[in-house]
Amino acid sequence: MAEGRFAVGFQRLIPMFGYHHVLMILIAIAIILLSLLLAGCSSSSPLIPGIFLISLYYEPYRPTYSTAQVDPGVTAAIANVVGRAVLEVRVGYFGICVNPDGGSWLCSNNATSLAGQVSVDQDPLNLIWVSSTFKDSIVFPYLIIVAIILAFVTFILLATFPAWHEEEGEDGEQQRKFFPSRAVSQVALALVFISAIFVLVSVLWQHTASVAASTIAQDLGNGSVKSGVGTSAMILGWFSFALLIIVTIGLLVMILSMHLIEKALTDEEEGE
């Protein structure tokens, strides 16, 4: 009995679920993912410190030697300065997280307050200051913010679309709902396309800047400092871009389909 009621309820829900609702769901997911990306390292809440652009941490390892190094012995001096430090710093768009001793994370958007909670022995090479410089001088989150706003406006425009599936009328004939406005559809297409481009530029800049900064920082701390690029942040950014591109293609296909159907109906009327 319960399964029958569920099936009936599901069948009633299907006609109310239009093509544009699928696009709205994809946009909502993209907005959520981009919001999580921006929220990375903004607080010490669970999982938030795991969303970061770049991480710097003290860890002894075998130094890399090269004939291009004027003073290869500087690695020993750096190792003596670092001592037994194990501090790790992670950088997000609007915050920095510090783990001084392998315990809990300290997160803030103010590097000065974080530095005040760490001793000299824990951060002898000023990795907190280096991370703060990276966040303030290189990281640019505002394109993503604009992309979220444009995606949300597109979501609102899609919500105004009428349901244009077919239903059984009282006289037993099929009644077709109105198509969405072509002008509104074109505006939604333009907005979501611009949003996708902004996300693409931001993700490319984020990836390039993070890899470059990570490589330089590790080379400077050769033998004592390691660095890494946040995989979760990259996944969130690229997946959001993919969703927005899917929505763009979906809207484009819908507009072209509407144009072809209207043209076919016009030709049919002229033929009669």
Side-chain angles (χ1 to χ4, degrees):
M1 182 65 68
E3 295 180 356
R5 292 179 180 178
F6 176 78
V8 172
F10 187 71
Q11 291 176 357
R12 292 179 179 178
L13 179 63
I14 291 178
M16 300 174 60
F17 197 77
Y19 176 77
H20 64 286
H21 291 130
V22 177
L23 302 181
M24 292 173 65
I25 292 175
L26 296 179
I27 291 177
I29 296 174
I31 291 175
I32 293 173
L33 295 181
L34 290 174
S35 300
L36 287 175
L37 177 59
L38 292 178
C41 293
S42 60
S43 71
S44 55
S45 302
L47 302 181
I48 296 299
I51 304 174
F52 59 92
L53 303 179
I54 184 176
S55 67
L56 303 174
Y57 54 97
Y58 296 105
E59 180 178 315
Y61 62 96
R62 185 176 181 179
T64 301
Y65 294 103
S66 171
T67 55
Q69 296 176 354
V70 177
D71 184 10
V74 73
T75 56
I78 293 176
N80 291 332
V81 172
V82 171
R84 298 182 179 180
V86 294
L87 177 138
E88 180 178 358
V89 186
R90 292 179 176 179
V91 185
Y93 276 102
F94 289 104
I96 298 175
C97 287
V98 177
N99 191 331
D101 51 9
S104 59
W105 289 95
L106 305 174
C107 299
S108 175
N109 60 353
N110 190 335
T112 303
S113 65
L114 290 174
Q117 303 178 57
V118 175
S119 65
V120 176
D121 294 336
Q122 291 175 323
D123 188 15
L125 298 183
N126 296 318
L127 293 187
I128 296 177
W129 171 70
V130 173
S131 302
S132 176
T133 302
F134 172 79
K135 181 178 75 70
D136 296 336
S137 302
I138 300 178
V139 174
F140 189 78
Y142 302 105
L143 282 180
I144 294 182
I145 295 175
V146 174
I148 291 176
I149 294 174
L150 294 178
F152 181 75
V153 173
T154 304
F155 182 90
I156 298 300
L157 291 177
L158 289 177
T160 64
F161 282 17
W164 41 287
H165 54 271
E166 295 181 353
E167 289 183 348
E168 188 74 21
E170 296 179 357
D171 54 356
E173 297 180 355
Q174 296 288 333
Q175 295 180 347
R176 188 177 298 275
K177 297 287 185 177
F178 291 104
F179 285 120
S181 168
R182 179 178 294 181
V184 176
S185 302
Q186 292 174 345
V187 171
L189 174 62
L191 291 178
V192 74
F193 177 72
I194 296 173
S195 177
I197 294 300
F198 280 4
V199 172
L200 173 62
V201 173
S202 296
V203 172
L204 285 176
W205 174 254
Q206 163 191 323
H207 180 75
T208 303
S210 298
V211 171
S214 172
T215 303
I216 292 174
Q218 182 162 326
D219 285 348
L220 286 176
N222 189 15
S224 299
V225 175
K226 281 192 173 183
S227 60
V229 177
T231 304
S232 57
M234 295 299 169
I235 292 175
L236 291 175
W238 284 113
F239 196 66
S240 300
F241 169 71
L243 290 176
L244 292 177
I245 285 296
I246 292 174
V247 174
T248 301
I249 296 174
L251 279 173
L252 180 61
V253 170
M254 184 186 71
I255 293 174
L256 294 177
S257 301
M258 290 167 50
H259 175 71
L260 293 176
I261 292 175
E262 291 176 356
K263 184 178 179 181
L265 292 176
T266 302
D267 293 342
E268 184 179 349
E269 290 177 358
E270 292 178 352
E272 294 177 356

